Amino acid sequence: MNEIEELAQSFLLKSTITNNINLEELKKDFSNSLIDEYGIGLDEYMEFLEEKILPNCVNVSSPKYIGHMTSKLPDFIIDTSKLVTTLNQNTVKLETSKVVTFLEKESIAILHRKFYGFSDEFYSVNIQNKKSTLGNITSGGTIANITALLCARNSSLSKKEGFEGIDKEGISGALKAYGYEKAVILGTESLHYSIEKAADFIGIGSNNLIKIKTDEFGKMSIEDLNQKIKTAREENALIISIIAVAGATESGMIDPIEEIAEIAKKEKIHLHVDAAWGGPIIFSDTHKDKLKGIECADSITIDGHKQLYLPMGIGCVLFKDPTLAKSIEKSANYIIRTDSYDLGRRSVEGSRPANSIYLHMALSIFGRRGYESFIDNSIRKTKLMADIIKEYDEFELLLEPEINILLYRAIPIELREKTKSGTLTVKENEKINDYNIRLQKRQKELGESFVSRTTSKIKKYEDQGIVVLRCVIANPLTRDEEIKEILKEQIEIMGKI
Amino acid sequence: MNEIEELAQSFLLKSTITNNINLEELKKDFSNSLIDEYGIGLDEYMEFLEEKILPNCVNVSSPKYIGHMTSKLPDFIIDTSKLVTTLNQNTVKLETSKVVTFLEKESIAILHRKFYGFSDEFYSVNIQNKKSTLGNITSGGTIANITALLCARNSSLSKKEGFEGIDKEGISGALKAYGYEKAVILGTESLHYSIEKAADFIGIGSNNLIKIKTDEFGKMSIEDLNQKIKTAREENALIISIIAVAGATESGMIDPIEEIAEIAKKEKIHLHVDAAWGGPIIFSDTHKDKLKGIECADSITIDGHKQLYLPMGIGCVLFKDPTLAKSIEKSANYIIRTDSYDLGRRSVEGSRPANSIYLHMALSIFGRRGYESFIDNSIRKTKLMADIIKEYDEFELLLEPEINILLYRAIPIELREKTKSGTLTVKENEKINDYNIRLQKRQKELGESFVSRTTSKIKKYEDQGIVVLRCVIANPLTRDEEIKEILKEQIEIMGKI
């Protein structure tokens, strides 16, 4: 083990999550804008890493870091990163990746089959077919979502008599050619903010991301979906896509995909399911029904760097129809030849690393049951945490967890009765908000554990913005014990703030 | 050193570039679409890597692989990859990256200063300012180019009386509000195909990427630029951006940035310079004048995974104006708070790895002179190769290399005289085209060396499509000796095809 690896190992052994150094202090160390003329030695840089960087990174692998969607990675994945970097393949093109092109297509096919379950014949025709794109590996869920929406946009405004296609003529021309007033996307408030980015970036504007009402659990209202489709049609709007979420970033909630899919099918609208977080539930025999209907989605986003336990920077988009991505195809003589195996032909990104090695390896080594056990355990631990919270007067559970994201808050002693009887005023809720901000900040500063904080519109408080403590329980290192300790620590802090 | 690392080491020691296995054969090994129920052991997977993957990857680190923009990475970068993966920071947000947020901003500032050279005061105000974005690290040059064009698009069609901004209302609304007929981008045929992607994806359509004529070297014609601007104005088109290329992917050519910048300034048009390949020339005192005028660009793309010798998957976009990226800002309660340090607020991508560690480390260790020596040597070796080619009757140099990309071709014995006297017919050129395809394929199959092949419109052949051999000379391991050997091998092959 060389020195850099020792550094890495020592980082994982840290018991605290991060140094409690003031940000304004910390940033002073990073105020250099001049490149050194001669450069410094590796030893000197190692000292810098050891003293300035590592103590001030966030130990997202800690079993008590349950605030965001990061986790300890499997050791074999960490070891493999050196191989992937050494190989330095570029999967944009066969000549810079060769076998990795086929490995990527196989990895994508394995995910595709798990979601769509087509026949042996379908896969034997499509898996390594130059003309077929079952999906793309991307740098993350955002690019996966953008890719899906670009494909949906381009395929619904494609070439026809007197019109060369939106890819050539742009949106204004496309809407004119097809006689639409505007183009919209339908989804709920629970969508990830990348969809708002996408609506801006693909040129329809985020005002045209039409927000469908949700029920008390934050799930898409089917009634309102029908209503919004009707309104869009009346306004002569093209509906590029309905987007359902499977594992909302804030709450873990899953939209009623099956019912949405029926409507999408009937209305002939592209259905995209953003399963960046919840996708791997498909591996669990116990929980996979939560995703029922996802096999009808025209495109699906899954993140590798979330519940597939791959390194940061790996997302994935799947396409039901292997020809859908033809709508975004581009080529160039010097690099991406038409009719080649080159993966860069039908992707948003160009050059990219051989991240399929991680994906293929993890799928092969964990197997279905490996991923199933991660999912089952995470959901079990989250239910456990919810149960404990319900037992304590100190806490209020704000949403029964659907999967492994939990929203709750701490209640100061003097307002516990009113919380129970459901008679809190808006002012009192504001007071509780401040209390939870103080609590979460203090716990973060102490550095032993970390839960995140968000402001959520809670139905039972008539959509008042409620500051909630948010736990994401996915780190396999997090045991029941740590969950109990984190709550215990919060109760201790409550005595002091 | 564990087994996976031994595998990686053994890969680098291979003398051949890749196994000469037939693609149709190779892909048969990747026809599985079913996830294993229980998973296989690490040992078994290692055998698979050793037998099926490594022999069929491309040894892009080989000193005789001079066909594409990949290279051997520095050992300290390879070692650091394990640290970066272990840390698994997510730079979308301070709470999942902390110090890496500041490290990224510092790294970007160092590049920014090298290109723009603003004052100490400018950097002390902006380097760690929440409101300032001097640039973004991206997954590659394509996302960097797209980010730049989105910023250019959004800032030229921003909010005004009666209009909420293109980000909210989309392109159709924006063009109406501003009274434009359409929106266009100006650049030459030499642009990377990611610009065509961008024109499609941002919604203006690739037909609205207006192609400016080039001179005999493939550089933008200033006369035609002026003409195309005039035409665009007459057609009531918004010019979102002029794009100059600094190191064209095909030929290495650099547009006359200084003259273009003057026009862009006068006409108040966003100037983007795609310096994905050529950007690091800025570090060379001998060659930096080739980039003269780049300091006037509103945005610049540089790739980390090209001539900064960082791992695949690292690009960068720089913004002259630290507020430009505000035009693409998005936020979300649960993750990216307004007025936070969170880097995800003003980027196309969401979650992404701590790649700034590589960038910062390489800038610190190589220093300016380290990068200068890479650039100077690469350009020197390319000139050497061009000089050798000129001496041989067997070859024809097709373009005097501007930097370190070289275009030439082999000439069969019976056509050498006519090549020299400039009397080749179209038919004869076609014959030479076939000859070069055979030659390049054969050399690739033999697996000792690799040059790439493209079809280029060569002015002296009246824009006939000429098959050229293309060398990209950037691997520090490639010595003069290897260059001579590659040419010698080609001459040997010529005797046999």
Side-chain angles (χ1 to χ4, degrees), chain B residues 65-117:
Chain B
Y65 184 92
I66 55 169
H68 287 298
M69 295 173 158
T70 43
S71 176
K72 169 79 172 69
L73 297 178
D75 287 335
F76 69 82
I77 288 289
I78 293 176
D79 288 340
T80 301
S81 63
K82 213 165 152 178
L83 176 73
V84 171
T85 312
T86 304
L87 297 176
N88 205 27
Q89 306 293 287
N90 180 353
T91 49
V92 72
K93 187 171 167 63
L94 196 78
E95 284 181 347
T96 47
S97 61
K98 205 166 171 180
V99 72
V100 183
T101 297
F102 301 130
L103 187 77
E104 175 160 332
K105 283 175 89 83
E106 184 175 273
S107 317
I108 293 282
I110 293 171
L111 288 177
H112 193 279
R113 186 158 191 169
K114 200 63 209 159
F115 282 94
Y116 291 112

Side-chain angles (χ1 to χ4, degrees), chain A residues 2 4-5 11-12 18-19 23-24 27 30-33 36-40 45 53 56 58 65 68 71 73 78-82 85-89 92-96 98-99 106 110 113 127-128 139 142 150 153-154 164 167-168 170-172 175 192-193 196-197 200-207 249 312 330 333-334 336-337 341 347-350 352 360-361 364-365 367-369 444 450 453-455, chain B residues 2 4-5 11-12 18-19 23-24 27 30-33 36-40 45 53 56 58 65 68 71 73 78-82 85-89 93-96 98-99 106 110 113 127-128 139 142 150 153-154 164 167-168 170-172 175 192-193 196-197 200-207 249-250 312 330 333-334 336-337 341 347-350 352 360-361 364-365 367-369 444 450 453-455:
Chain A
N2 64 33
I4 299 184
E5 287 171 32
F11 177 76
L12 287 182
T18 189
N19 268 357
L23 290 181
E24 301 308 307
K27 73 181 193 186
F30 299 88
S31 56
N32 170 46
S33 57
D36 202 270
E37 182 70 5
Y38 289 93
I40 62 175
Y45 198 81
I53 301 300
N56 298 308
V58 184
Y65 184 93
H68 287 299
S71 176
L73 297 179
I78 293 177
D79 287 339
T80 302
S81 62
K82 214 165 147 176
T85 312
T86 303
L87 296 176
N88 206 29
Q89 305 295 285
V92 71
K93 187 172 170 62
L94 195 79
E95 284 180 348
T96 48
K98 203 164 174 182
V99 74
E106 183 175 272
I110 293 171
R113 186 158 193 169
I127 187 166
Q128 296 296 350
S139 68
T142 297
L150 281 169
R153 185 197 75 175
N154 283 14
E164 290 184 59
D167 55 322
K168 298 284 191 305
I171 289 189
S172 302
L175 295 178
H192 188 252
Y193 77 112
E196 197 192 331
K197 282 186 179 179
D200 171 7
F201 299 166
I202 73 171
I204 67 167
S206 58
N207 285 354
T249 313
M312 198 52 61
K330 302 283 177 292
N333 263 337
Y334 53 91
I336 306 298
R337 299 198 187 103
Y341 285 106
S347 65
V348 169
E349 289 164 293
R352 49 194 184 76
H360 191 268
M361 188 177 199
S364 303
I365 289 179
R368 185 193 68 78
R369 293 212 183 208
K444 181 167 141 184
F450 175 75
R453 170 169 58 82
T454 180
T455 304
Chain B
N2 66 33
I4 299 183
E5 287 171 33
F11 177 76
L12 287 183
T18 191
N19 269 357
L23 290 179
E24 301 309 307
K27 72 181 194 187
F30 299 89
S31 55
N32 170 47
S33 57
D36 201 89
E37 182 70 5
Y38 289 94
I40 62 173
Y45 197 82
I53 302 300
N56 298 309
V58 184
Y65 184 92
H68 287 298
S71 176
L73 297 178
I78 293 176
D79 288 340
T80 301
S81 63
K82 213 165 152 178
T85 312
T86 304
L87 297 176
N88 205 27
Q89 306 293 287
K93 187 171 167 63
L94 196 78
E95 284 181 347
T96 47
K98 205 166 171 180
V99 72
E106 184 175 273
I110 293 171
R113 186 158 191 169
I127 187 167
Q128 294 298 348
S139 68
T142 297
L150 281 169
R153 185 198 75 175
N154 282 12
E164 290 185 61
D167 54 324
K168 300 280 191 304
I171 290 189
S172 302
L175 295 178
H192 188 251
Y193 76 112
E196 197 191 332
K197 284 187 177 177
D200 171 8
F201 300 165
I202 75 172
I204 66 166
S206 58
N207 284 355
T249 312
E250 187 160 88
M312 200 50 62
K330 302 282 175 294
N333 265 336
Y334 55 89
I336 305 299
R337 298 198 188 105
Y341 285 106
S347 64
V348 169
E349 289 163 290
R352 54 193 179 78
H360 192 269
M361 189 176 198
S364 302
I365 288 178
R368 184 194 69 77
R369 292 211 183 210
K444 182 168 140 184
F450 176 76
R453 171 171 58 83
T454 179
T455 305

Side-chain angles (χ1 to χ4, degrees), chain B residues 446-457:
Chain B
L446 290 170
E448 293 290 322
S449 2
F450 176 76
V451 306
S452 61
R453 171 171 58 83
T454 179
T455 305
S456 211
K457 287 180 190 163

